[in-house]
Amino acid sequence: MNYILSDGSLWDSFLPFTFTRPVAEIRMGILTIKEKWEKWLMTSVSTQTKTHLSQKFPLKTASQNIVISANYLPDNKLVQKIKALKEDEALFDGDVLVAFFTETPVEKYDLSKCKRIVLEHVPLKIENVWDIFSKNAEALQSDFNMLTQGRQSQPLSTTNQVLNSENIFLEEGAQVEFSILNASTGPIYIGKGAQIMEGCTIRGGLALCDNAVIKMGAKLYGPSTFGPYCKVGGEVSNSVLFAHSNKGHEGFLGNSVLGEWCNLGADTNTSNLKNNYAPVRLWDYKTEGFAQTGLQFCGLIMGDHSKCGINTMFNTGTVVGVSANIFGSGFPRNFIPSFSWGGASGFSTYRTKKAYETAAAMMKRRDMEFDKIEEAVLDHVFELTKKWRKE
């Protein structure tokens, strides 16, 4: 059977992250959504997404396909229901389509002829960009259970102070010394080659993915995920960094999501609570206005390749697009369009040549190439987001 994770009509619900990736490539818990489905289904999975992303994330079709809505996270009951689908059957969560079986071309499928099967349980799903951090605890626990079942953790050094050691798992090559690990409030997962330096205080849940680093003296609490090769320091609460991003110094990051290849300068601070304790509003790309999140705590949403200088201050509920460069004193506005250059005193357009030079330099430090495919994706994002910038 060939499985496809489809963006459907969800793509713009998860901007700015989906400017540069399909919904299925969003990371929460330990794995990306695509990686979760591949583990549960025990086979490779492809994605159906926007045209400008299709070369980097190609779609694979076959004579028999099951198409799954990419915002649903797998669990045992959901996977069994999906595997049991037959031709012209579709699985629904109430009135919401979850998956369907098709032998016709995916883009031409007529749902009106399908037999409806309704889920009897409510699986974990994300519907808004802020769900990535607000539902991270449940996703992290699910991934931890699945990845560690029947396996033995690498031994944890006796230099550490530990609570609930059975809820801590170290992959091969993970290093943790002279730190405090409290896993009574959630699991702590430390990936292959990952390192927690001396003097860190960690209160689970935590997913420290492969080759990521937590720097000396960091204070981490609330269910947080740091993707592969991320570097994290200072104080962090309930935040998700996808991969290759850095928050390596002092400063507070809370209830936030950073994409890939982001960098927060030393002593960058995010506000995650309004002074009047009111629910936080967040920029909505679909309506081009500010949407109510219903959350009292909501910090920074930052797209791929964006950076900020030292001592940057972000207001509660700030959304930063792709390839923005922010610096200077004061609070910049709480919606910063992609390819913006500046700060509280105003923004101009961050020209693509300069932005790509920075992206190439950062990627080279991790032995990765800023290639023509990556450039073409960002070229499209530059044009797509032009209407929100002052040229």
Side-chain angles (χ1 to χ4, degrees):
M1 181 59 65
N2 182 56
Y3 295 95
I4 299 167
L5 293 170
S6 174
D7 286 357
S9 61
L10 299 162
W11 182 79
D12 53 3
S13 296
F14 301 103
L15 295 173
F17 304 115
T18 44
F19 278 134
T20 50
R21 61 175 53 75
V23 174
E25 294 290 346
I26 289 172
R27 184 179 300 276
M28 60 185 297
I30 300 171
L31 307 169
T32 66
I33 296 173
K34 180 174 180 281
E35 290 169 343
K36 298 177 201 299
W37 280 104
E38 289 180 331
K39 291 284 188 183
W40 279 92
L41 295 169
M42 294 184 290
T43 188
S44 61
V45 172
S46 69
T47 55
Q48 185 179 28
T49 187
K50 294 290 185 181
T51 302
H52 77 278
L53 297 171
S54 59
Q55 186 175 3
K56 185 175 180 180
F57 304 98
L59 171 66
K60 175 188 171 185
T61 59
S63 58
Q64 293 185 325
N65 306 281
I66 290 182
V67 182
I68 305 167
S69 182
N71 68 319
Y72 278 83
L73 279 59
D75 60 39
N76 186 57
K77 291 181 179 179
L78 180 57
V79 169
Q80 293 309 312
K81 284 284 189 182
I82 286 174
K83 283 184 171 182
L85 286 174
K86 298 179 175 59
E87 184 180 356
D88 292 331
E89 289 185 342
L91 187 63
F92 283 81
D93 176 14
D95 293 327
V96 178
L97 177 66
V98 178
F100 62 91
F101 185 119
T102 178
E103 293 183 344
T104 59
V106 173
E107 66 276 6
K108 296 180 181 179
Y109 186 71
D110 182 8
L111 275 172
S112 64
K113 67 177 183 179
C114 72
K115 176 185 176 183
R116 294 172 59 100
I117 299 171
V118 178
L119 278 173
E120 297 172 353
H121 79 296
V122 180
L124 181 61
K125 60 185 174 183
I126 54 173
E127 299 172 281
N128 305 287
V129 71
W130 55 85
D131 290 342
I132 298 170
F133 70 80
S134 65
K135 296 183 178 181
N136 197 47
E138 192 174 348
L140 205 166
Q141 186 68 64
S142 175
D143 283 352
F144 184 87
N145 293 344
M146 184 263 293
L147 289 172
T148 64
Q149 186 176 15
R151 300 176 60 216
Q152 184 70 39
S153 170
Q154 296 296 306
L156 186 61
S157 170
T158 56
T159 65
N160 299 289
Q161 292 185 313
V162 178
L163 187 61
N164 276 35
S165 60
E166 67 277 6
N167 218 16
I168 301 172
F169 194 94
L170 280 70
E171 296 284 5
E172 183 179 356
Q175 301 176 51
V176 190
E177 298 289 351
F178 294 99
S179 291
I180 299 171
L181 283 74
N182 178 1
S184 63
T185 54
I188 295 175
Y189 175 88
I190 306 167
K192 292 180 180 179
Q195 182 180 11
I196 299 177
M197 293 183 179
E198 298 80 7
C200 295
T201 305
I202 296 168
R203 196 171 195 261
L206 170 70
L208 186 67
C209 299
D210 295 355
N211 301 296
V213 176
I214 297 175
K215 299 180 77 174
M216 289 189 294
K219 302 176 287 292
L220 311 176
Y221 52 94
S224 293
T225 296
F226 308 128
Y229 294 94
C230 287
K231 294 181 179 179
V232 178
E235 182 180 3
V236 182
S237 172
N238 186 204
S239 295
V240 176
L241 280 63
F242 284 3
H244 298 285
S245 287
N246 300 329
K247 189 255 176 237
H249 304 285
E250 293 301 319
F252 174 71
L253 181 70
N255 306 97
S256 298
V257 185
L258 276 58
E260 296 188 4
W261 306 109
C262 297
N263 189 76
L264 303 186
D267 205 34
T268 292
N269 284 283
T270 64
S271 170
N272 64 342
L273 175 67
K274 298 181 73 171
N275 285 349
N276 62 0
Y277 294 82
V280 179
R281 298 191 309 154
L282 206 63
W283 174 261
D284 186 337
Y285 284 90
K286 288 185 293 184
T287 64
E288 300 189 22
F290 288 88
Q292 286 287 355
T293 65
L295 300 175
Q296 193 172 57
F297 292 92
C298 184
L300 173 66
I301 303 296
M302 177 178 276
D304 290 7
H305 292 288
S306 285
K307 316 283 193 291
C308 69
I310 62 170
N311 297 313
T312 302
M313 299 186 296
F314 289 106
N315 249 317
T316 316
T318 294
V319 175
V320 178
V322 174
S323 286
N325 198 307
I326 304 135
F327 50 87
S329 61
F331 287 95
R333 57 185 178 174
N334 55 359
F335 168 53
I336 301 171
S338 298
F339 292 93
S340 292
W341 171 280
S345 60
F347 286 92
S348 59
T349 295
Y350 189 13
R351 298 300 174 186
T352 54
K353 181 181 178 181
K354 293 294 185 183
Y356 297 170
E357 286 174 356
T358 301
M362 186 174 186
M363 293 177 73
K364 187 176 181 180
R365 285 165 55 91
R366 304 284 174 85
D367 297 318
M368 295 181 70
E369 182 185 0
F370 181 76
D371 58 20
K372 293 297 182 183
I373 295 175
E374 190 76 20
E375 184 175 332
V377 170
L378 294 182
D379 280 344
H380 187 89
V381 175
F382 182 84
E383 295 300 321
L384 198 62
T385 59
K386 186 177 290 187
K387 61 182 177 179
W388 293 303
R389 287 191 300 276
K390 291 182 179 179
E391 295 297 328

Coordinates of all heavy atoms in Angstrom, one line a residue, residues 188-249:
I188 N 11.9 12.5 29.5 CA 13.1 13.2 29.0 C 13.7 12.2 28.0 O 14.2 11.1 28.3 CB 14.0 13.6 30.1 CG1 13.4 14.6 31.0 CG2 15.3 14.1 29.5 CD1 14.2 15.0 32.2
Y189 N 13.8 12.6 26.7 CA 14.4 11.8 25.6 C 15.6 12.5 25.1 O 15.5 13.7 24.7 CB 13.4 11.6 24.5 CG 13.9 10.9 23.3 CD1 13.9 9.5 23.3 CD2 14.5 11.5 22.2 CE1 14.4 8.8 22.2 CE2 15.0 10.9 21.1 CZ 14.9 9.5 21.1 OH 15.4 8.8 20.0
I190 N 16.8 11.8 25.1 CA 18.0 12.4 24.6 C 18.5 11.6 23.4 O 18.9 10.4 23.6 CB 19.0 12.5 25.8 CG1 18.4 13.2 27.0 CG2 20.3 13.2 25.3 CD1 19.2 13.1 28.3
G191 N 18.5 12.2 22.3 CA 18.8 11.5 21.0 C 20.3 11.1 20.8 O 21.2 11.5 21.6
K192 N 20.5 10.4 19.7 CA 21.9 10.0 19.4 C 22.8 11.2 19.3 O 22.6 12.2 18.6 CB 21.9 9.2 18.1 CG 21.1 7.9 18.1 CD 21.2 7.2 16.8 CE 20.4 5.9 16.8 NZ 20.4 5.2 15.5
G193 N 23.9 11.1 20.0 CA 25.0 12.1 19.9 C 24.6 13.4 20.5 O 25.3 14.4 20.4
A194 N 23.4 13.5 21.2 CA 23.0 14.8 21.8 C 23.8 15.0 23.1 O 24.3 14.0 23.7 CB 21.5 14.8 22.1
Q195 N 23.9 16.2 23.5 CA 24.7 16.5 24.7 C 24.0 17.5 25.6 O 23.5 18.6 25.1 CB 26.0 17.1 24.3 CG 27.0 17.4 25.5 CD 28.3 17.9 25.1 OE1 28.5 18.3 23.9 NE2 29.2 18.0 26.0
I196 N 23.9 17.3 26.9 CA 23.5 18.2 27.9 C 24.7 18.6 28.7 O 25.3 17.7 29.4 CB 22.4 17.6 28.8 CG1 21.1 17.3 28.0 CG2 22.0 18.6 29.9 CD1 20.0 16.7 28.8
M197 N 25.2 19.8 28.6 CA 26.4 20.2 29.3 C 26.1 20.4 30.8 O 25.0 20.3 31.3 CB 26.9 21.5 28.7 CG 27.4 21.4 27.3 SD 28.0 23.0 26.7 CE 28.6 22.6 25.0
E198 N 27.2 20.7 31.5 CA 27.2 20.7 33.0 C 26.3 21.8 33.5 O 26.2 22.9 32.9 CB 28.6 20.9 33.5 CG 29.6 19.8 33.2 CD 30.2 19.9 31.8 OE1 29.9 20.9 31.1 OE2 30.8 18.9 31.4
G199 N 25.7 21.5 34.6 CA 24.9 22.6 35.4 C 23.5 22.9 34.9 O 23.0 23.9 35.3
C200 N 23.0 22.0 34.0 CA 21.6 22.3 33.5 C 20.6 21.8 34.5 O 20.8 20.8 35.1 CB 21.5 21.6 32.1 SG 22.5 22.3 30.9
T201 N 19.4 22.5 34.5 CA 18.3 22.1 35.3 C 17.1 21.9 34.4 O 16.7 22.8 33.7 CB 18.0 23.2 36.4 OG1 19.1 23.5 37.1 CG2 16.8 22.7 37.3
I202 N 16.7 20.6 34.3 CA 15.7 20.2 33.3 C 14.5 19.6 34.0 O 14.6 18.6 34.8 CB 16.3 19.2 32.3 CG1 17.4 20.0 31.5 CG2 15.2 18.7 31.4 CD1 18.3 19.1 30.7
R203 N 13.3 20.1 33.7 CA 12.0 19.5 34.2 C 11.2 19.0 33.0 O 10.9 19.9 32.2 CB 11.3 20.6 35.0 CG 10.2 20.1 35.9 CD 9.7 21.2 36.8 NE 8.9 20.7 37.9 CZ 7.6 20.7 37.9 NH1 6.9 21.2 36.8 NH2 6.9 20.3 38.9
G204 N 11.0 17.7 32.9 CA 10.4 17.2 31.7 C 9.0 17.7 31.5 O 8.4 18.3 32.4
G205 N 8.4 17.5 30.3 CA 9.0 16.7 29.2 C 10.0 17.5 28.4 O 9.9 18.7 28.2
L206 N 10.9 16.7 27.8 CA 11.9 17.2 27.0 C 12.3 16.2 25.9 O 12.4 15.0 26.1 CB 13.2 17.5 27.8 CG 14.4 17.9 26.9 CD1 14.3 19.3 26.3 CD2 15.7 17.8 27.7
A207 N 12.3 16.7 24.6 CA 12.9 15.9 23.5 C 14.1 16.7 23.0 O 14.0 17.8 22.5 CB 11.8 15.8 22.4
L208 N 15.3 16.1 23.2 CA 16.5 16.6 22.7 C 16.9 15.7 21.6 O 17.4 14.6 21.8 CB 17.6 16.7 23.8 CG 18.9 17.4 23.4 CD1 18.7 18.9 23.1 CD2 20.0 17.2 24.5
C209 N 16.7 16.1 20.4 CA 16.9 15.2 19.2 C 18.4 15.0 18.9 O 19.2 15.6 19.4 CB 16.1 15.7 18.1 SG 14.3 15.8 18.4
D210 N 18.6 14.2 17.9 CA 20.0 13.8 17.5 C 20.9 15.0 17.3 O 20.6 15.9 16.6 CB 20.0 12.9 16.2 CG 19.2 11.6 16.4 OD1 18.8 11.3 17.5 OD2 19.0 10.9 15.4
N211 N 22.1 14.9 18.0 CA 23.2 15.8 17.9 C 22.8 17.2 18.3 O 23.6 18.2 18.0 CB 23.7 15.9 16.4 CG 24.2 14.5 15.9 OD1 25.1 14.0 16.5 ND2 23.5 13.9 15.0
A212 N 21.7 17.4 19.0 CA 21.4 18.7 19.6 C 22.2 18.9 20.9 O 22.7 18.0 21.5 CB 19.9 18.8 19.9
V213 N 22.3 20.2 21.3 CA 23.1 20.5 22.5 C 22.4 21.5 23.4 O 21.8 22.5 22.9 CB 24.5 21.2 22.1 CG1 25.3 21.6 23.3 CG2 25.3 20.2 21.2
I214 N 22.4 21.2 24.7 CA 21.9 22.1 25.7 C 23.1 22.7 26.4 O 23.9 21.9 27.0 CB 20.9 21.5 26.7 CG1 19.7 21.0 25.9 CG2 20.5 22.4 27.8 CD1 18.7 20.2 26.8
K215 N 23.3 24.0 26.4 CA 24.5 24.6 26.9 C 24.5 24.8 28.4 O 23.5 24.7 29.1 CB 24.8 25.9 26.2 CG 24.9 25.7 24.6 CD 25.1 26.9 23.9 CE 26.6 27.4 24.0 NZ 26.8 28.6 23.1
M216 N 25.7 25.0 29.0 CA 25.9 25.0 30.4 C 24.9 26.0 31.1 O 24.7 27.1 30.7 CB 27.3 25.4 30.8 CG 28.3 24.3 30.4 SD 30.0 24.7 31.0 CE 30.4 26.1 30.1
G217 N 24.3 25.5 32.2 CA 23.5 26.3 33.1 C 22.1 26.6 32.6 O 21.4 27.4 33.2
A218 N 21.7 25.9 31.5 CA 20.3 26.1 31.0 C 19.2 25.7 32.0 O 19.4 24.8 32.7 CB 20.1 25.4 29.7
K219 N 18.1 26.4 31.9 CA 17.0 26.1 32.8 C 15.8 25.8 31.8 O 15.3 26.8 31.2 CB 16.6 27.3 33.7 CG 17.8 27.7 34.6 CD 17.5 28.9 35.4 CE 17.5 30.2 34.6 NZ 18.8 30.5 34.1
L220 N 15.3 24.6 31.8 CA 14.3 24.2 30.9 C 13.2 23.5 31.6 O 13.4 22.7 32.5 CB 14.9 23.1 29.9 CG 16.2 23.5 29.2 CD1 16.7 22.3 28.3 CD2 16.1 24.8 28.4
Y221 N 11.9 23.9 31.3 CA 10.7 23.4 31.9 C 9.6 23.5 31.0 O 9.6 24.4 30.1 CB 10.5 24.0 33.2 CG 10.4 25.6 33.2 CD1 9.2 26.2 33.0 CD2 11.6 26.3 33.2 CE1 9.2 27.6 32.9 CE2 11.6 27.7 33.2 CZ 10.3 28.3 33.0 OH 10.3 29.7 32.9
G222 N 8.5 22.7 31.2 CA 7.4 22.7 30.3 C 7.8 21.9 29.1 O 9.0 21.9 28.7
P223 N 6.9 21.2 28.5 CA 7.2 20.2 27.4 C 7.8 20.9 26.2 O 7.1 21.7 25.5 CB 5.9 19.6 27.1 CG 4.8 20.6 27.5 CD 5.4 21.2 28.7
S224 N 9.1 20.7 26.0 CA 9.8 21.4 24.9 C 10.5 20.4 24.0 O 10.9 19.3 24.4 CB 10.9 22.3 25.5 OG 10.3 23.4 26.2
T225 N 10.7 20.8 22.7 CA 11.4 19.9 21.7 C 12.4 20.7 21.0 O 12.2 21.8 20.6 CB 10.3 19.5 20.7 OG1 9.4 18.6 21.3 CG2 11.0 18.7 19.6
F226 N 13.6 20.2 21.0 CA 14.8 20.8 20.3 C 15.2 19.8 19.2 O 15.8 18.7 19.5 CB 15.9 21.1 21.3 CG 15.4 22.0 22.5 CD1 15.7 21.6 23.8 CD2 14.6 23.1 22.3 CE1 15.2 22.3 24.8 CE2 14.1 23.8 23.3 CZ 14.5 23.5 24.6
G227 N 15.0 20.1 18.0 CA 15.2 19.2 16.9 C 16.7 19.0 16.6 O 17.6 19.5 17.3
P228 N 17.0 18.1 15.7 CA 18.4 17.8 15.4 C 19.3 19.0 15.2 O 18.9 20.0 14.5 CB 18.3 17.0 14.1 CG 16.9 16.4 14.1 CD 16.1 17.4 14.8
Y229 N 20.5 18.9 15.8 CA 21.5 19.9 15.7 C 21.2 21.3 16.3 O 21.9 22.3 16.0 CB 22.0 20.1 14.2 CG 22.6 18.8 13.7 CD1 21.9 17.9 13.0 CD2 24.0 18.6 13.9 CE1 22.5 16.7 12.5 CE2 24.6 17.5 13.4 CZ 23.9 16.5 12.7 OH 24.4 15.4 12.3
C230 N 20.1 21.4 17.0 CA 19.8 22.7 17.7 C 20.7 22.9 18.8 O 21.2 22.0 19.4 CB 18.3 22.7 18.2 SG 17.1 22.9 16.9
K231 N 20.9 24.2 19.2 CA 21.7 24.6 20.3 C 20.9 25.5 21.2 O 20.3 26.5 20.7 CB 23.0 25.3 19.9 CG 24.0 24.4 19.1 CD 25.3 25.1 18.8 CE 26.2 24.2 18.0 NZ 27.5 24.8 17.6
V232 N 20.8 25.2 22.5 CA 19.9 25.8 23.4 C 20.6 26.2 24.7 O 21.3 25.4 25.3 CB 18.6 25.0 23.7 CG1 17.7 25.6 24.6 CG2 17.9 24.6 22.4
G233 N 20.3 27.4 25.1 CA 20.8 27.9 26.4 C 19.8 28.8 27.1 O 18.8 29.2 26.5
G234 N 20.1 29.3 28.3 CA 19.3 30.2 29.0 C 18.0 29.6 29.5 O 18.1 28.4 30.0
E235 N 16.9 30.3 29.5 CA 15.7 29.8 30.1 C 14.6 29.6 29.0 O 14.4 30.5 28.2 CB 15.1 30.9 31.1 CG 13.8 30.4 31.7 CD 13.3 31.5 32.7 OE1 13.9 32.6 32.8 OE2 12.2 31.2 33.4
V236 N 14.1 28.3 28.9 CA 13.2 28.0 27.9 C 12.0 27.2 28.5 O 12.2 26.3 29.3 CB 13.8 27.1 26.8 CG1 12.8 26.8 25.7 CG2 15.0 27.8 26.2
S237 N 10.8 27.6 28.1 CA 9.6 26.9 28.6 C 8.6 26.6 27.5 O 8.3 27.5 26.6 CB 8.8 27.9 29.6 OG 7.6 27.3 30.0
N238 N 8.2 25.4 27.4 CA 7.2 24.9 26.5 C 7.4 25.5 25.0 O 6.5 26.2 24.5 CB 5.8 25.3 27.0 CG 4.6 24.7 26.2 OD1 3.5 25.2 26.2 ND2 4.9 23.6 25.4
S239 N 8.5 25.2 24.4 CA 8.8 25.7 23.1 C 9.3 24.6 22.2 O 9.8 23.5 22.7 CB 9.9 26.8 23.2 OG 9.3 27.9 23.9
V240 N 9.2 24.8 20.9 CA 9.6 23.8 19.9 C 10.5 24.5 18.9 O 10.2 25.5 18.3 CB 8.4 23.2 19.2 CG1 8.8 22.3 18.0 CG2 7.4 22.5 20.1
L241 N 11.7 23.9 18.7 CA 12.6 24.3 17.6 C 12.8 23.1 16.7 O 13.1 22.0 17.1 CB 14.0 24.6 18.2 CG 14.2 26.0 18.9 CD1 13.3 26.2 20.1 CD2 15.7 26.2 19.3
F242 N 12.5 23.4 15.4 CA 12.4 22.3 14.4 C 13.7 21.5 14.2 O 13.8 20.3 14.4 CB 11.9 22.8 13.1 CG 10.4 23.1 13.1 CD1 9.6 22.9 14.2 CD2 9.8 23.5 11.9 CE1 8.2 23.2 14.2 CE2 8.4 23.7 11.9 CZ 7.6 23.6 13.0
A243 N 14.7 22.2 13.8 CA 16.1 21.6 13.5 C 17.0 22.7 13.1 O 16.7 23.8 12.6 CB 16.0 20.6 12.4
H244 N 18.3 22.5 13.5 CA 19.4 23.4 13.0 C 19.2 24.9 13.5 O 19.8 25.8 12.9 CB 19.6 23.4 11.5 CG 19.9 22.1 10.9 ND1 21.2 21.5 11.0 CD2 19.1 21.1 10.3 CE1 21.2 20.3 10.4 NE2 20.0 20.1 10.0
S245 N 18.4 25.1 14.5 CA 18.2 26.5 15.0 C 18.9 26.7 16.4 O 19.1 25.7 17.1 CB 16.7 26.8 15.1 OG 16.2 26.9 13.9
N246 N 19.3 27.9 16.6 CA 20.0 28.2 17.8 C 19.3 29.3 18.7 O 18.9 30.3 18.3 CB 21.4 28.8 17.4 CG 22.2 27.9 16.6 OD1 22.1 26.6 16.7 ND2 23.0 28.4 15.7
K247 N 19.2 28.9 20.0 CA 18.9 29.9 21.1 C 20.0 29.6 22.1 O 19.7 29.0 23.1 CB 17.5 29.7 21.5 CG 17.0 30.8 22.5 CD 17.0 30.2 23.9 CE 16.6 31.3 24.9 NZ 17.6 31.5 26.0
G248 N 21.2 30.0 21.8 CA 22.3 29.4 22.6 C 22.8 30.2 23.8 O 23.7 29.8 24.5
H249 N 22.1 31.3 24.1 CA 22.6 32.2 25.2 C 21.5 32.5 26.2 O 20.4 32.0 26.1 CB 23.2 33.4 24.5 CG 24.2 33.2 23.5 ND1 25.5 32.8 23.8 CD2 24.2 33.2 22.2 CE1 26.2 32.6 22.7 NE2 25.4 32.9 21.7

